[in-house]
Amino acid sequence: LYDKDYYLWLEEISQLLQDGKWLELDIENLVDEISAMSKSQKRAVYSNLKIILLHLLKYKYQPEKRSNSWLSTIEEHRQRLQEIFEDSPSLSNYFLEIYSAGKCYHDARRLAAKETSLAMDAFPSESPFTPEEILNPEYLPDS
C-alpha cells in the first residue's frame, strides 16, 4: 500500500496507531517516513535562513535597488522560521548550528553575488548579521 497509495497508507497507519495495533504496523516504511520528516524540517530551517541572509545581503550591499519585495521576502521567511520554532523549539538549536557552521551564509553569499552581479569579495566572508538580527522582525542593515 505504501508504494501504491501513499495517502491511504498514511490513513491506515494512523488508524492502526490509534487502535494500538502495533503488530500490524508497517514499521520499515514508518521509520523511513519519520526520518524523512525530520530531514524535511531541517531543510526548511536551512532554506529559510539562506533566503533571509540572501535578502539581507542584497539590502545592505545594493541599497539603491531596495524594494518592498525584498522587505516582504525577509519578513515572510522570518515568520516561517518563527512558526517552525514554535512548533519545534529544538530546531532553534539547529538554526544556531547551521548559522555557526557558515555553509548557509556561504550559499547565500554566492546567490547574492549572482543576483546582484557584484563580485563575491564585495560581501564579507563571514556573516555580518548575528542570529538575533536575522530573526528580529525590526532589524534591517544599514548601508
Side-chain angles (χ1 to χ4, degrees):
L1 190 57
Y2 177 77
D3 293 325
K4 295 180 179 158
D5 189 332
Y6 180 70
Y7 175 79
L8 188 57
W9 177 82
L10 286 173
E11 290 294 310
E12 182 179 290
I13 292 297
S14 177
Q15 191 62 53
L16 290 170
L17 287 167
Q18 289 175 26
D19 295 344
K21 296 182 179 179
W22 318 120
L23 296 177
E24 296 178 42
L25 289 171
D26 177 3
I27 298 296
E28 182 180 342
N29 286 319
L30 185 56
V31 168
D32 287 346
E33 284 303 310
I34 291 171
S35 177
M37 289 170 58
S38 172
K39 289 177 186 172
S40 174
Q41 290 295 301
K42 285 183 167 183
R43 278 192 303 274
V45 171
Y46 189 93
S47 176
N48 285 296
L49 174 56
K50 181 173 70 174
I51 291 168
I52 294 168
L53 288 168
L54 163 64
H55 282 80
L56 288 175
L57 285 170
K58 292 188 328 184
Y59 190 91
K60 181 172 177 71
Y61 293 96
Q62 232 179 11
E64 71 281 0
K65 294 195 177 183
R66 289 178 180 167
S67 70
N68 286 336
S69 172
W70 289 0
L71 294 174
S72 176
T73 298
I74 292 167
E75 179 64 24
E76 176 185 346
H77 291 276
R78 281 176 169 158
Q79 289 175 0
R80 288 182 185 189
L81 280 178
Q82 289 304 326
E83 290 169 7
I84 289 169
F85 299 155
E86 286 171 13
D87 289 343
S88 303
S90 64
L91 284 172
S92 62
N93 294 329
Y94 179 70
F95 167 84
L96 293 173
E97 179 184 319
I98 61 173
Y99 170 83
S100 296
K103 181 183 178 332
C104 193
Y105 173 73
H106 177 73
D107 290 348
R109 182 177 175 237
R110 287 176 53 104
L111 286 172
K114 287 186 187 305
E115 286 193 22
T116 63
S117 297
L118 297 172
M120 278 282 282
D121 60 6
F123 305 100
S125 59
E126 299 204 12
S127 178
F129 317 112
T130 67
E132 295 78 20
E133 290 170 336
I134 292 165
L135 296 175
N136 181 348
E138 303 302 318
Y139 173 76
L140 288 171
D142 296 327
S143 49

